[in-house]
Amino acid sequence: MDIKTIEWKNNSIKIIDQTKLPAKLEYLYIRDLKALWNAIKELKVRGAPALGAAAALGIYLGIKDYKAKNLAGFNKELQKISRYIASSRPTARNLFWGLERMKNVAVKNQDKPVSAIKAMLFKEAQKVIKEDMLACRLMAGYGAKLIKNKDTILTICNAGILATIDYGTALGIIYKAKEEGKRLKVYASETRPLLQGARLTAWELKKNNIDVTLICDNMAATLMQQGKIDKVIAGADRIAANGDAANKIGTYNLAVLSSYHKVPFYIAAPASTFDLKIKSGRDIPIEERKAQEVTELFFKSPISAKGIKVFNPAFDVTPHNLITAIITDKGIIRPPYITNIAKQLKKNK
Amino acid sequence: MDIKTIEWKNNSIKIIDQTKLPAKLEYLYIRDLKALWNAIKELKVRGAPALGAAAALGIYLGIKDYKAKNLAGFNKELQKISRYIASSRPTARNLFWGLERMKNVAVKNQDKPVSAIKAMLFKEAQKVIKEDMLACRLMAGYGAKLIKNKDTILTICNAGILATIDYGTALGIIYKAKEEGKRLKVYASETRPLLQGARLTAWELKKNNIDVTLICDNMAATLMQQGKIDKVIAGADRIAANGDAANKIGTYNLAVLSSYHKVPFYIAAPASTFDLKIKSGRDIPIEERKAQEVTELFFKSPISAKGIKVFNPAFDVTPHNLITAIITDKGIIRPPYITNIAKQLKKNK
């Protein structure tokens, strides 16, 4: 499938509007920061690695036409833009990583004229995109080694093409295993409330001729009880130094089920998803989103009593002891995570 | 709340059309068997105990105007009606129990004229209804003893007023505990695909002034991880002789999560839900329903790619070793179930 989830095009950020899928594949050209902020908040663009790219491109989008009187003014504006983008969603580490990458470029080039810094920021954003494309392929190469012929894999949310630039983390591994000639079967958990599994993962796997079956989130346990799942692979939004991994709500549920049924549970994420300053999952900020996502079935029709209280965390944290291995672009990391994550990420820098 | 889920009225079966909730509380008068069959199949009336009543009333509805030439013809027609009702849904034991109760009345009164048998069948159906109302209250009395002040209870699907005649099994226990002055908090799992938790349980608990919060099914794990759930109480559709319990899909998931987080997991069901001829959960027939329930959000709008494969079992089986206790109208049954179920159900007959 030759599509790009996010790229720089026509002097704007071009994204697939993922809220329109699977009904139509529609592109959106984002020309100002407010539109970008809304696109992120409303999940028109989503997925941790894609958010890293959105953040990097966003910095350039915000600063490119800024008429700086002096370097101090330029730096101040850059900080303002970064803070604004950072306020869109709190959990995915890659978003902040993307912003930091961009700010670092400015910091390191304070001796250059503003126009040159702008050009370097553009280059850095393009580098973030190229690196994601490479990271996904490296991750897929490592991860595919874990997949056996005829494996049945369960995944949640969307950690595919639509969560990255063009290949995917968890789904990238599945694509790669298929390219290697392995026959696979995938179950996609629909992922309430916003149904990224039903809308996005089922769509992209089907488009790529992967044998996919859609289930509701509460059906995974039954599949495991019946011995139908060989492996679970999920993405991640932020991984702490000890290996605790925040990912889409429902991931922790699958990790507990995997542990109970002795099914290997893998997290697939690039190095940019790790947040080594955070010691454990307890310190990962978890976004809580609005009640209507739960009560109104993707904003279309009410399904519950008016005014009903709702608990709607967008993510949960899977403690490291439930994770069989973390598949990264720097290789496969296994327990003990507290030493191996730092070692592995450093080794390959 | 003074409503009846199902009753005999105006020479017909009067039910709440549960597919219309929570938008409107609408009653439906069922005047022929085909309409009853469809109402059961389409979940206009649902919940194992309510299906027991529907089956009993259905036999009378089907036979009441039948002009029998002789007793043999009458008996044959009764069998035909019973087989037809039985073909509507396969899992809930109470449906078959209701049919058997009615057929037994006919069998035991073969010496009487057909008109008298018809009258006795009507009486038996009314008895089934009265017994359910009593059973729910007995169950609630036993179950409420397990509930502490300030408990937070998680439930799934709807095991309330709308699943019985007028009080509920799992929710009956909650109503009773509240009547006893206990302060409770309830989380209702929305229960995909047909959202009985969101549509029915949240509605009836709110109507009855119970502090209820709605969650998506994949959020229960997070609540337990955070120590927010004191007990899980679910209903059941069929319980085998060894205590394995079939209930709405997602129940087994909650049982595994409860075990992992050391949260007591209770099943609440009347004696009529037990099927002692079935040795274990493996032999309980599990209804698989159509894909559109998953792909079209309660038949309103498509959420997944066209033609996507779906796995849609309506129930799962929780093995007895994950069940802390079974709350019945004959008292609370605890492990070892293989001996205690038979003992307890017999003792109080």
Side-chain angles (χ1 to χ4, degrees):
Chain A
M1 202 160 69
D2 196 24
I3 59 169
K4 279 211 167 56
T5 298
I6 180 164
E7 64 184 316
W8 185 260
K9 199 107 189 190
N10 300 345
N11 219 24
S12 62
I13 302 174
K14 181 186 178 190
I15 62 163
I16 294 173
D17 181 349
Q18 301 193 29
T19 59
K20 298 282 167 63
L21 285 171
K24 22 183 188 177
L25 178 60
E26 204 173 284
Y27 290 92
L28 199 65
Y29 292 85
I30 295 172
R31 297 179 195 286
D32 63 76
L33 275 181
K34 179 101 185 77
L36 178 66
W37 194 94
N38 285 331
I40 294 172
K41 188 75 184 174
E42 293 164 12
L43 278 57
K44 289 179 180 180
V45 59
R46 31 68 48 202
L51 289 180
L57 291 171
I59 289 278
Y60 179 69
L61 179 75
I63 204 73
K64 73 182 171 65
D65 299 325
Y66 182 71
K67 306 269 181 272
K69 279 182 191 150
N70 51 41
L71 190 61
F74 177 84
N75 287 337
K76 213 176 145 189
E77 181 69 11
L78 203 65
Q79 290 296 340
K80 205 177 109 189
I81 293 166
S82 176
R83 277 196 304 274
Y84 180 64
I85 297 172
S87 71
S88 59
R89 296 191 72 193
T91 304
R93 166 65 191 148
N94 312 59
L95 181 85
F96 306 96
W97 168 88
L99 297 174
E100 284 158 23
R101 288 260 314 232
M102 296 294 277
K103 285 188 287 184
N104 285 342
V105 164
V107 166
K108 281 182 188 157
N109 292 283
Q110 291 282 300
D111 56 328
K112 307 215 167 61
V114 161
S115 63
I117 300 177
K118 283 185 180 177
M120 295 178 90
L121 286 171
F122 181 71
K123 243 174 100 178
E124 185 69 7
Q126 292 293 10
K127 216 175 135 196
V128 163
I129 285 177
K130 279 210 188 95
E131 283 178 19
D132 174 78
M133 292 166 72
L134 178 62
C136 285
R137 279 154 183 87
L138 288 169
M139 217 180 310
Y142 294 123
K145 291 200 184 86
L146 300 170
I147 311 299
K148 287 188 194 138
N149 189 34
K150 296 193 181 169
D151 263 357
T152 297
I153 296 161
L154 172 65
T155 189
I156 181 169
C157 195
N158 175 270
I161 291 167
L162 295 165
T164 58
I165 304 301
D166 69 342
Y167 199 69
T169 56
L171 301 192
I173 291 164
I174 288 165
Y175 294 139
K176 179 66 176 170
K178 202 199 168 188
E179 285 164 27
E180 290 174 352
K182 290 167 189 163
R183 282 179 54 203
L184 300 172
K185 194 171 154 58
V186 178
Y187 281 96
S189 205
E190 65 173 7
T191 318
R192 280 281 288 150
L194 294 183
L195 298 161
Q196 292 91 337
R199 294 186 302 110
L200 309 178
T201 294
W203 178 81
E204 80 164 76
L205 288 178
K206 195 162 181 281
K207 279 257 179 204
N208 284 287
N209 299 310
I210 305 283
D211 180 356
V212 59
T213 301
L214 179 65
I215 57 165
C216 296
D217 301 315
N218 57 14
M219 296 170 186
T222 284
L223 284 175
M224 290 196 198
Q225 188 184 38
Q226 296 172 357
K228 285 182 183 161
I229 305 296
D230 297 306
K231 289 170 177 80
V232 175
I233 313 181
D237 285 80
R238 194 184 295 225
I239 302 173
N242 71 344
D244 292 355
N247 190 47
K248 181 52 54 197
I249 189 75
T251 306
Y252 170 61
N253 190 355
L254 294 185
V256 172
L257 292 176
S258 297
S259 164
Y260 185 80
H261 296 92
K262 303 193 186 355
V263 172
F265 177 88
Y266 298 107
I267 290 286
S272 50
T273 302
F274 287 80
D275 189 352
L276 301 189
K277 278 187 222 125
I278 280 191
K279 277 188 192 163
S280 85
R282 254 190 305 272
D283 301 323
I284 299 177
I286 297 296
E287 177 182 15
E288 196 166 348
R289 295 178 61 90
K290 56 184 170 181
Q292 286 97 309
E293 292 184 352
V294 175
T295 57
E296 294 183 8
L297 286 183
F298 213 61
F299 310 119
K300 276 171 185 154
S301 45
I303 56 157
S304 194
K306 244 186 166 174
I308 202 81
K309 273 198 296 185
V310 167
F311 171 58
N312 183 19
F315 303 94
D316 58 25
V317 174
T318 298
H320 58 89
N321 64 301
L322 296 180
I323 302 171
T324 309
I326 305 176
I327 303 158
T328 80
D329 51 323
K330 312 284 189 186
I332 292 169
I333 308 180
R334 292 191 182 269
Y337 293 116
I338 191 71
T339 52
N340 289 352
I341 285 175
K343 212 192 298 174
Q344 193 97 5
L345 294 185
K346 206 178 288 172
K347 194 171 64 179
N348 293 281
K349 244 186 185 161
Chain B
M1 202 161 66
D2 196 23
I3 58 169
K4 279 212 167 57
T5 298
I6 179 164
E7 64 184 316
W8 185 260
K9 198 113 188 182
N10 299 345
N11 219 23
S12 62
I13 302 174
K14 181 186 178 191
I15 62 164
I16 295 173
D17 182 350
Q18 301 194 29
T19 60
K20 298 283 167 62
L21 285 171
K24 21 180 190 177
L25 177 59
E26 203 173 284
Y27 291 91
L28 198 67
Y29 292 84
I30 295 172
R31 298 180 195 283
D32 63 76
L33 274 182
K34 179 103 184 77
L36 177 67
W37 194 93
N38 285 331
I40 294 172
K41 188 74 183 176
E42 293 164 12
L43 277 57
K44 290 179 180 178
V45 59
R46 30 70 49 203
L51 289 181
L57 290 172
I59 289 279
Y60 179 69
L61 179 74
I63 204 72
K64 73 181 169 65
D65 299 325
Y66 182 70
K67 308 267 181 273
K69 277 184 194 151
N70 51 41
L71 190 62
F74 177 84
N75 287 337
K76 212 176 146 189
E77 181 68 10
L78 202 67
Q79 291 296 339
K80 205 178 111 188
I81 293 167
S82 175
R83 277 195 305 274
Y84 180 65
I85 297 172
S87 71
S88 60
R89 296 192 72 193
T91 304
R93 167 64 192 148
N94 312 59
L95 181 84
F96 305 95
W97 168 88
L99 297 175
E100 285 158 22
R101 287 260 313 232
M102 297 294 278
K103 286 188 288 184
N104 284 343
V105 164
V107 166
K108 282 182 189 157
N109 293 283
Q110 293 281 302
D111 56 329
K112 307 215 168 59
V114 161
S115 63
I117 300 177
K118 282 184 182 179
M120 295 180 90
L121 286 172
F122 181 71
K123 243 175 101 178
E124 184 70 7
Q126 292 293 9
K127 214 175 139 198
V128 163
I129 285 177
K130 280 210 188 95
E131 282 179 20
D132 175 77
M133 293 167 71
L134 177 64
C136 285
R137 280 153 184 88
L138 289 169
M139 218 178 312
Y142 294 121
K145 292 201 183 88
L146 300 169
I147 311 298
K148 288 187 192 141
N149 190 33
K150 296 194 182 168
D151 263 357
T152 297
I153 296 161
L154 171 65
T155 189
I156 181 170
C157 195
N158 175 270
I161 291 167
L162 295 166
T164 58
I165 304 302
D166 70 342
Y167 200 68
T169 56
L171 301 192
I173 292 164
I174 288 165
Y175 294 139
K176 177 68 176 168
K178 203 199 168 187
E179 285 164 27
E180 291 174 350
K182 291 168 189 162
R183 282 178 53 204
L184 300 172
K185 194 172 154 58
V186 177
Y187 281 96
S189 206
E190 65 174 7
T191 318
R192 280 281 287 148
L194 294 183
L195 298 160
Q196 291 92 336
R199 295 187 300 111
L200 309 178
T201 294
W203 177 83
E204 78 163 75
L205 288 177
K206 195 163 181 279
K207 278 258 179 200
N208 285 289
N209 298 310
I210 304 284
D211 180 354
V212 60
T213 301
L214 179 64
I215 57 165
C216 296
D217 301 314
N218 57 13
M219 295 169 186
T222 284
L223 284 175
M224 290 197 197
Q225 189 184 36
Q226 296 171 357
K228 285 182 183 160
I229 304 296
D230 297 305
K231 287 167 179 83
V232 175
I233 314 181
D237 286 80
R238 193 185 297 224
I239 302 173
N242 71 344
D244 292 355
N247 190 45
K248 182 52 53 198
I249 189 74
T251 306
Y252 170 61
N253 190 356
L254 295 184
V256 171
L257 292 175
S258 297
S259 164
Y260 185 81
H261 296 93
K262 302 193 186 354
V263 172
F265 177 89
Y266 299 107
I267 290 287
S272 49
T273 303
F274 287 80
D275 189 353
L276 301 188
K277 278 186 222 125
I278 281 192
K279 278 190 189 162
S280 85
R282 252 191 306 272
D283 300 323
I284 299 177
I286 297 297
E287 176 182 16
E288 195 165 348
R289 294 178 61 90
K290 54 185 170 182
Q292 286 98 307
E293 292 184 352
V294 174
T295 58
E296 294 184 7
L297 287 181
F298 213 62
F299 311 118
K300 274 171 185 152
S301 46
I303 56 156
S304 193
K306 244 187 167 172
I308 202 80
K309 271 197 297 187
V310 167
F311 171 59
N312 183 19
F315 304 93
D316 59 25
V317 174
T318 298
H320 58 89
N321 63 302
L322 296 179
I323 301 170
T324 308
I326 306 176
I327 303 158
T328 80
D329 50 323
K330 311 284 188 185
I332 293 170
I333 308 179
R334 294 192 180 269
Y337 293 115
I338 191 70
T339 52
N340 288 352
I341 286 175
K343 211 192 298 175
Q344 192 98 6
L345 294 186
K346 205 178 290 173
K347 194 170 64 181
N348 291 280
K349 246 188 188 161

